[in-house]
């Protein structure tokens, strides 16, 4: 494992590298949510990003750092959707081919998004053992290059660019909240935010139903998810070891959020902000609404990580 700590310079270089291929996403505010929370909330809207999520940042950075020879071998990854679609977009734009190992219970919109962006889907059962087995078989048989969705320094550096833009556009944030799944976005955010302003608090928001990061911090070593029975299909992954080493050192807290709180927060964003966000990022609003006493009057940055929602399966029908 490459334990040389990822630096802010790597994130700055990644940003220069990927700029032509991503959107600089807007930051929204909402008066009624400010009143609801008693704080000034700023929403970094990666739901408007290419391929519908922040994942295009890391995927583009990782793909651009491949040699032509590596690209020619074919690329493979495992993904519950957003990374798969982003990687497919990044690889096919350089005329490479990509296979995405996906759990059979992935929402239809995320499956279609991978296909639309030129990825070939290989199915696996919705558990880690099956995913690893299918992945290993492909790599053994084809010699494809693995680009891991989060446990990869080039991916982490790319994801950190979201917070780079955020703090450039809204300086002096008191708190930044990022969803946490495998930990790519949170660890990239931590490296950048803490280097720019050591006083900023950075929280990870995690479903109670898939709380491996919360428990791993408590135990001081990586704990497996006991369940992944959460509406946040983007937050079911297992924390990566590279990610954990960064999060353990830098995060202020992981806040766990119940399914009911996540759905309420998602509905609030849809109804009041008029934007489509997926449950996996509405969780950031859910997390801070649990902390009203601590956030009063503060400037809070929330990363709205993606907007790929299965519209036929909305949780409040």
């Amino acid at each position: 494992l490459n334990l040389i700590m990822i630096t802010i310079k790597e994130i700055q270089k990644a940003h220069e590298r990927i700029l032509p291929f991503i959107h600089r996403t807007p930051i929204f505010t909402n008066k009624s949510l400010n009143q609801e929370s008693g704080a000034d909330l700023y929403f970094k809207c990666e739901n408007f990003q290419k391929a519908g999520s922040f994942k295009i940042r890391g995927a583009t950075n990782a793909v651009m750092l491949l040699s032509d020879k590596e690209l020619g071998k074919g690329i493979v990854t495992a993904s519950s959707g957003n990374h798969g679609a982003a990687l497919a977009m990044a690889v096919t734009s350089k005329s490479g081919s990509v296979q995405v190992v996906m759990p059979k219970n992935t929402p239809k919109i995320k499956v279609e998004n991978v296909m639309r962006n030129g990825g070939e889907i290989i199915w696996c059962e919705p558990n880690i053992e099956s995913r690893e087995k299918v992945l290993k078989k492909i790599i053994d048989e084809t010699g494809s290059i693995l680009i891991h969705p989060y446990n990869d320094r080039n991916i982490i550096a790319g994801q950190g660019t979201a917070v780079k833009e955020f703090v450039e556009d809204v300086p002096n944030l008191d708190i930044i909240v990022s969803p946490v799944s495998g930990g790519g976005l949170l660890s990239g955010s931590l490296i950048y935010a803490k280097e720019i302003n050591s006083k900023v608090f950075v929280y990870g928001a995690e479903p109670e139903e898939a709380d491996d990061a919360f428990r791993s911090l408590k135990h001081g070593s990586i704990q497996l998810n006991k369940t992944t029975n959460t509406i946040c299909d983007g937050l079911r992954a297992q924390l990566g070891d590279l990610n954990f080493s960064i999060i353990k050192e830098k995060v202020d807290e992981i806040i766990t959020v119940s399914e009911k709180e996540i759905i309420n927060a998602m509905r609030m964003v849809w109804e009041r902000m008029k934007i489509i966000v997926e449950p996996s990022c509405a969780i950031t609003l859910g997390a801070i609404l649990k902390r009203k006493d601590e956030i009063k009057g503060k400037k809070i940055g929330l990363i709205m990580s993606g907007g790929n929602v299965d519209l036929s399966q909305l949780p409040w029908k």
Side-chain angles (χ1 to χ4, degrees):
L1 188 65
N2 192 345
L3 280 177
I4 306 162
M5 191 50 98
I6 297 161
T7 62
I8 191 164
K9 277 202 182 64
E10 262 174 88
I11 296 173
Q12 288 159 340
K13 283 206 184 93
H15 201 220
E16 280 166 37
R17 200 177 284 127
I18 68 177
L19 267 181
F21 308 99
I22 62 165
H23 296 313
R24 188 177 184 111
T25 50
I27 292 162
F28 284 7
T29 57
N30 183 273
K31 200 170 161 188
S32 93
L33 290 176
N34 287 351
Q35 284 167 341
E36 182 92 29
S37 62
D40 290 323
L41 307 184
Y42 295 86
F43 295 85
K44 174 73 168 155
C45 292
E46 290 288 295
N47 51 315
F48 298 133
Q49 188 51 273
K50 291 187 179 183
S53 88
F54 74 94
K55 295 278 193 179
I56 193 70
R57 296 172 179 275
T60 303
N61 190 46
V63 169
M64 291 184 75
L65 287 165
L66 294 172
S67 66
D68 289 346
K69 190 178 168 207
E70 287 171 317
L71 198 62
K73 289 181 170 176
I75 306 301
V76 67
T77 196
S79 169
S80 62
N82 286 344
H83 169 71
L87 191 64
M89 181 183 270
V91 171
T92 51
S93 75
K94 294 191 74 174
S95 314
S97 69
V98 62
Q99 290 183 309
V100 184
V101 176
M102 294 185 86
K104 289 176 179 161
N105 62 349
T106 303
K108 192 159 157 262
I109 178 170
K110 293 192 173 179
V111 173
E112 286 167 356
N113 203 8
V114 171
M115 289 158 66
R116 206 169 39 238
N117 283 295
E120 181 198 342
I121 294 174
I122 315 287
W123 298 108
C124 69
E125 295 305 322
N127 60 58
I128 294 177
E129 299 73 44
S130 171
R131 190 182 68 204
E132 297 297 329
K133 202 171 123 188
V134 174
L135 205 51
K136 186 179 180 314
K137 186 168 182 266
I138 295 170
I139 293 168
D140 289 348
E141 285 174 9
T142 63
S144 297
I145 302 286
L146 172 67
I147 294 186
H148 196 279
Y150 47 85
N151 205 35
D152 175 306
R153 66 184 301 140
N154 298 335
I155 292 279
I156 294 170
Q159 315 308 26
T161 62
V163 160
K164 176 179 184 288
E165 294 176 1
F166 208 161
V167 299
E168 285 168 357
D169 293 347
V170 189
N172 309 320
L173 288 168
D174 298 304
I175 296 172
I176 294 172
V177 191
S178 160
V180 57
S181 179
L185 180 61
L186 178 57
S187 41
S189 300
L190 282 163
I191 291 165
Y192 199 89
K194 293 282 189 180
E195 182 77 21
I196 290 292
N197 172 11
S198 59
K199 291 192 182 69
V200 71
F201 280 81
V202 182
Y203 296 132
E206 187 173 50
E208 280 175 7
E209 295 293 328
D211 66 346
D212 58 320
F214 176 78
R215 286 184 298 108
S216 299
L217 277 188
K218 225 167 68 176
H219 287 267
S221 63
I222 292 189
Q223 305 295 305
L224 299 183
N225 267 321
K226 291 202 175 93
T227 81
T228 51
N229 186 23
T230 173
I231 187 172
C232 302
D233 53 272
L235 304 185
R236 293 172 185 157
Q238 190 60 55
L239 195 61
D241 49 7
L242 180 56
N243 313 86
F244 178 58
S245 65
I246 297 164
I247 293 167
K248 188 170 65 173
E249 185 194 327
K250 296 182 184 291
V251 83
D252 289 285
E253 193 186 344
I254 305 275
I255 300 171
T256 58
V257 190
S258 74
E259 294 300 292
K260 188 170 172 235
E261 290 163 336
I262 293 163
I263 292 165
N264 285 346
M266 178 175 167
R267 185 163 188 155
M268 251 181 223
V269 173
W270 282 50
E271 285 181 346
R272 302 190 198 190
M273 296 179 74
K274 317 299 174 205
I275 61 174
I276 291 180
V277 296
E278 53 189 275
S280 301
C281 67
I283 192 172
T284 55
L285 177 61
I288 59 143
L289 289 176
K290 296 182 77 158
R291 294 298 168 89
K292 282 194 183 168
D293 304 344
E294 292 164 43
I295 65 172
K296 242 186 197 28
K298 294 206 157 73
K299 278 177 81 169
I300 301 181
L302 303 169
I303 303 177
M304 295 282 104
S305 49
N308 294 317
V309 183
D310 189 340
L311 295 177
S312 64
Q313 296 285 327
L314 291 177
W316 50 71
K317 272 224 208 39

